[in-house]
Amino acid sequence: MNSSPLGIICHGGAGTIDDKAAYAAGLTEAIDEGYRLLRQSASAMEAVVTAVRMMEDNPLYNAGTGSDLTIDWQTEMDASLMTQEGRFGGVAGIAGVKNPILVAQKVMTETDHLLLCGFGATEFARRMGFEDYNVVTERALARLREVIDHGSKYFHKMNEQRLSDGVPPTPETGEDPLIEKKMGTVGAVARDKHGNLAVATSSGGIVGRMRGRVGDAAILGAGTYAGPGGAVSCTGHGEEIMRRSLARDIVERMTTMPASTAMTLAVAEARRKKLAFGAIGFDARGGICYGHTTPDMAYGYKVAERLFLFTEEKGKPH
Ligand code: ASP
């Protein structure tokens, strides 16, 4: 029997968070439920899927019901989950379902594939019995309107400029324009009573992106990764997270150092490169970690009956 504690850590996105109390309340519900399941001998996978599903159902977060929109007012969601022994399931650019993480779970358990995208993913969801669901929140509409009205500061304009200049993205130069934005992807990493780890991530994507764009939340090694060293879920600027396989990068570091050191090093490197990024994780020994380069990240965890929330954070980001 493994003696290190069971526990769960969740995030509700990196960026700048104004309504911290509301984000903390949503996290508390998801963490408490995930923890309750773990205490009742549920697997780490069940705990992370439940926690992420609850946050997908909370319109505050940019995942599931609260998903942000593409530049042409479409909902396209990404989600994935992974267990430490290498089982993975993901969906990319899925529409018309309430809980992308549950479809990702079905991809893992019911198919020979790792990742389904777009129409094929929705069609698979229907076959698995997921009902049609197409809610767009007022908040998501307002956020896209804001991007359209003040476009030059944001994602699609940034890409337009890169294309028209013929300049490849060079995140080493200049501030990431997303650093001040609230992103709001959700994620969870859990450790069950047997010491097994699992991770799940779900995102409505970055507001105002091109249609068809896939973010890190769907991608093995980028937004979601679990391996012998540990398990990590990321949030932030998906293109940069994918370019560097950041979740995998942190888990690999965990094979030779504690989770918190691995995270501190990854965050310091991301900060030097001015990337908008945040992550949470567990290492194989039960060490917990979190970190972000953005002004805020909504996160919280529960270990040994003690709930800790980002609103209790003192001083500088970890
Ligand atoms: N990582 C997400 C994406 O790029 C955004 C987020 O973290 O909210 O799609």
Side-chain angles (χ1 to χ4, degrees):
M1 177 74 189
N2 201 301
S3 57
S4 357
L6 55 79
I8 183 162
I9 180 162
C10 295
H11 71 74
T16 303
I17 303 170
D18 300 326
D19 34 4
K20 291 194 170 69
Y23 276 82
L27 282 165
T28 302
E29 280 176 22
I31 293 167
D32 278 344
E33 182 58 13
Y35 191 81
R36 194 185 65 77
L37 291 173
L38 291 169
R39 286 289 308 272
Q40 290 180 349
S41 304
S43 67
M45 188 179 86
E46 280 174 73
V48 293
V49 168
T50 300
V52 165
R53 179 189 46 75
M54 288 174 73
M55 291 189 282
E56 285 180 342
D57 289 344
N58 183 335
L60 193 61
Y61 300 108
N62 171 23
T65 297
S67 287
D68 273 326
L69 303 172
T70 64
I71 192 66
D72 52 353
W73 307 91
Q74 302 300 311
T75 300
E76 293 183 342
M77 301 168 285
D78 299 325
S80 63
L81 71 159
M82 190 164 184
T83 67
Q84 217 182 353
E85 66 273 17
R87 300 180 75 205
F88 179 92
V91 288
I94 192 169
V97 297
K98 189 174 186 205
N99 294 111
I101 197 64
L102 298 181
V103 186
Q105 186 180 26
K106 289 283 184 199
V107 173
M108 180 171 92
T109 58
E110 308 300 322
T111 80
D112 294 328
H113 306 307
L114 296 186
L115 181 62
L116 294 180
C117 77
F119 178 71
T122 306
E123 199 180 60
F124 168 72
R126 294 286 173 271
R127 261 190 284 135
M128 291 291 117
F130 292 92
E131 283 169 15
D132 195 20
Y133 182 86
N134 292 291
V135 173
V136 175
T137 62
E138 278 304 320
R139 189 184 170 99
L141 293 170
R143 280 163 60 91
L144 180 55
R145 257 181 239 120
E146 188 193 330
V147 164
I148 290 171
D149 292 349
H150 303 96
S152 61
K153 270 158 67 190
Y154 303 129
F155 188 69
H156 66 289
K157 275 289 180 192
M158 176 177 76
N159 276 340
E160 265 171 29
Q161 198 177 336
R162 282 173 179 167
L163 288 176
S164 65
D165 293 349
V167 180
T170 50
E172 280 77 7
T173 59
E175 233 14 85
D176 186 329
L178 292 171
I179 222 146
E180 295 295 331
K181 291 298 291 172
K182 177 70 197 74
M183 285 174 273
T185 285
V186 304
V189 183
R191 187 170 202 274
D192 63 28
K193 72 173 195 185
H194 303 294
N196 296 319
L197 301 180
V199 48
T201 312
S202 181
S203 180
I206 290 176
V207 58
R209 66 203 182 275
M210 285 173 67
R211 192 169 195 180
R213 176 264 190 186
V214 173
D216 58 299
I219 305 298
L220 193 159
T224 301
Y225 191 71
V232 165
S233 169
C234 295
T235 167
H237 191 175
E239 278 65 14
E240 303 310 338
I241 294 169
M242 286 189 272
R243 196 189 309 283
R244 292 169 174 78
S245 301
L246 278 178
R248 184 170 191 153
D249 173 70
I250 299 168
V251 170
E252 299 280 304
R253 291 174 196 260
M254 287 175 179
T255 56
T256 57
M257 62 184 82
S260 55
T261 314
M263 184 65 76
T264 303
L265 293 177
V267 168
E269 209 167 294
R271 197 169 279 138
R272 271 199 302 280
K273 292 180 175 157
K274 299 187 166 43
L275 309 183
F277 155 74
I280 55 168
F282 260 109
D283 68 28
R285 294 165 300 279
I288 211 158
C289 63
Y290 48 88
H292 50 104
T293 62
T294 47
D296 303 306
M297 178 171 76
Y299 69 90
Y301 60 85
K302 196 165 187 178
V303 181
E305 305 303 320
R306 158 110 168 89
L307 175 71
F308 178 88
L309 290 166
F310 73 108
T311 43
E312 299 165 46
E313 208 179 60
K314 302 253 183 315
K316 284 252 154 246
H318 185 80

